[in-house]
């Protein structure tokens, strides 16, 4: 009887880990590969998405080799990453600059400004202080300080969304990150356009995903290129 295995991908601040498990939860393979964090100025922290991808490929190959399994035995995979780690990129996922890491606090002035608006959507955060970690603050910083990168960015992706696009070719967002860090409310129409417009981001909507996925939702199979690079079957469920 053919083995059935699943893969978990955990992309953290310092590395991406890939674990392969049987359906009883036993680990049969593991791989880890690090990537660099860049600190151009105090309080700034950036990473290169191209390094994320090469690290994922490396970790996947290490885990598959250790497991001794074949690509046809892998039936599904899932992932988690740091957030909000924002990637301004083209429609095909090509980054326009290094990603602003979750712990980057350069947008502290934007966070203070957004907090001062006392806009009604801040109730989702208990009207507490808005964190410069969040996507809206980083997007506003980009628009104010790197207007050409902001203008040229066809998409603004969180780390997990960028990985998802590179794996499946689908541009999506996750309900777990958009709800808290984007002020997204599924029951009140999704992204609060009036809020974004009020803080100067009325031109951001085409850059954000409309397809917001629930936790555990099946997104699709792998693209041909992703499957070949990772050594997996295109039919694996993600």
């Amino acid at each position: 009887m053919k083995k059935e295995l699943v893969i978990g991908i955990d992309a953290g601040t310092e590395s991406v880990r890939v674990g392969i498990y049987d359906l009883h939860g036993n680990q049969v393979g593991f791989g880890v590969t690090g990537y660099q964090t860049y600190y151009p100025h105090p309080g700034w922290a950036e990473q290169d998405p191209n390094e994320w991808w090469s690290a994922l490929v490396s970790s996947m190959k290490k885990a598959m080799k250790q497991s001794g399994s074949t690509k046809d035995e892998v039936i599904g995979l899932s992932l988690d990453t740091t957030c909000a780690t924002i990637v301004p990129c083209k429609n095909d996922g090509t980054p326009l600059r290094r990603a602003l890491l979750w712990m980057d606090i350069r947008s502290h002035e934007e966070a203070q400004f957004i907090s001062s608006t006392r806009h009604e959507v801040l109730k989702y955060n208990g009207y507490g202080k808005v964190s410069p970690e969040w996507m809206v603050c980083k997007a506003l910083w980009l628009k104010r300080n790197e207007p050409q990168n902001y203008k040229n960015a066809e998409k603004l992706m969180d780390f997990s969304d960028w990985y998802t696009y590179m794996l499946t070719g689908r541009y999506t967002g996750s309900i777990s990150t958009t709800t808290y860090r984007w002020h997204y409310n599924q029951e009140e129409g999704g992204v609060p356009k009036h809020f974004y417009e009020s803080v100067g981001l009325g031109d951001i909507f085409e850059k954000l995903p409309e397809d917001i996925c629930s936790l555990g939702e099946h997104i699709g199979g792998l693209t041909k290129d992703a499957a070949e690079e990772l050594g997996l079957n295109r039919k694996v469920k993600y």
Side-chain angles (χ1 to χ4, degrees):
M1 183 177 178
K2 184 180 74 173
K3 289 188 297 184
E4 291 187 327
L5 303 172
V6 292
I7 292 176
I9 299 167
D10 176 29
T13 304
E14 297 182 347
S15 65
V16 57
R17 283 80 64 182
V18 172
I20 303 178
Y21 303 86
D22 64 24
L23 299 189
H24 299 287
N26 300 305
Q27 183 176 290
V28 298
F30 183 79
V32 58
T33 307
Y35 32 68
Q36 186 173 350
T37 300
Y38 302 86
Y39 303 96
H41 302 285
W44 294 27
E46 303 177 350
Q47 290 182 343
D48 184 347
N50 295 308
E51 294 181 20
W52 294 341
W53 183 256
S54 60
L56 175 58
V57 172
S58 174
S59 294
M60 186 69 70
K61 290 181 177 179
K62 291 174 184 177
M64 289 291 286
K65 181 178 180 180
Q66 187 182 95
S67 72
S69 55
T70 68
K71 64 181 182 181
D72 292 329
E73 293 171 333
V74 178
I75 62 172
L77 64 86
S78 184
L79 65 81
D80 70 275
T81 70
T82 64
C83 65
T85 294
I86 303 302
V87 186
C89 59
K90 305 300 283 184
N91 282 325
D92 64 359
T94 301
L96 297 179
R97 69 174 325 280
R98 291 195 297 244
L100 278 61
L101 196 59
W102 67 270
M103 62 182 180
D104 187 304
I105 58 170
R106 74 184 69 186
S107 61
H108 61 93
E109 291 183 2
E110 286 73 22
Q112 291 173 354
F113 162 65
I114 293 168
S115 293
S116 73
T117 68
R118 303 295 291 173
H119 194 281
E120 63 177 357
V121 303
L122 300 183
K123 66 186 178 183
Y124 306 149
N125 311 117
Y127 289 106
K129 289 184 178 180
V130 173
S131 171
E133 169 196 347
W134 298 344
M135 187 280 292
V136 63
C137 302
K138 288 176 173 155
L140 187 55
W141 184 92
L142 282 167
K143 185 173 182 179
R144 288 177 169 181
N145 296 274
E146 296 182 2
Q148 201 60 42
N149 276 335
Y150 178 84
K151 180 181 178 180
N152 292 339
E154 294 172 306
K155 302 297 181 188
L156 289 174
M157 296 191 187
D158 212 324
F159 187 171
S160 60
D161 306 329
W162 187 83
Y163 255 172
T164 296
Y165 176 81
M166 296 298 290
L167 288 167
T168 69
R170 280 189 62 188
Y171 181 45
T172 65
S174 169
I175 193 69
S176 67
T177 55
T178 56
T179 298
Y180 192 67
R181 294 170 177 84
W182 301 17
H183 306 283
Y184 179 92
N185 188 328
Q186 199 168 38
E187 297 181 357
E188 296 184 8
V191 174
K193 292 188 176 182
H194 49 93
F195 166 63
Y196 281 81
E197 290 167 349
S198 74
V199 299
L201 290 172
D203 56 352
I204 198 174
F205 306 113
E206 290 185 357
K207 303 177 189 292
L208 302 179
E210 296 182 359
D211 190 2
I212 306 300
C213 297
S214 301
L215 296 179
E217 182 176 336
H218 178 215
I219 293 178
L222 302 182
T223 67
K224 179 181 178 182
D225 289 344
E228 288 179 354
E229 284 195 76
L230 295 169
L232 297 176
N233 193 312
R234 287 192 66 184
K235 295 181 180 180
V236 63
K237 287 188 176 182
Y238 172 76

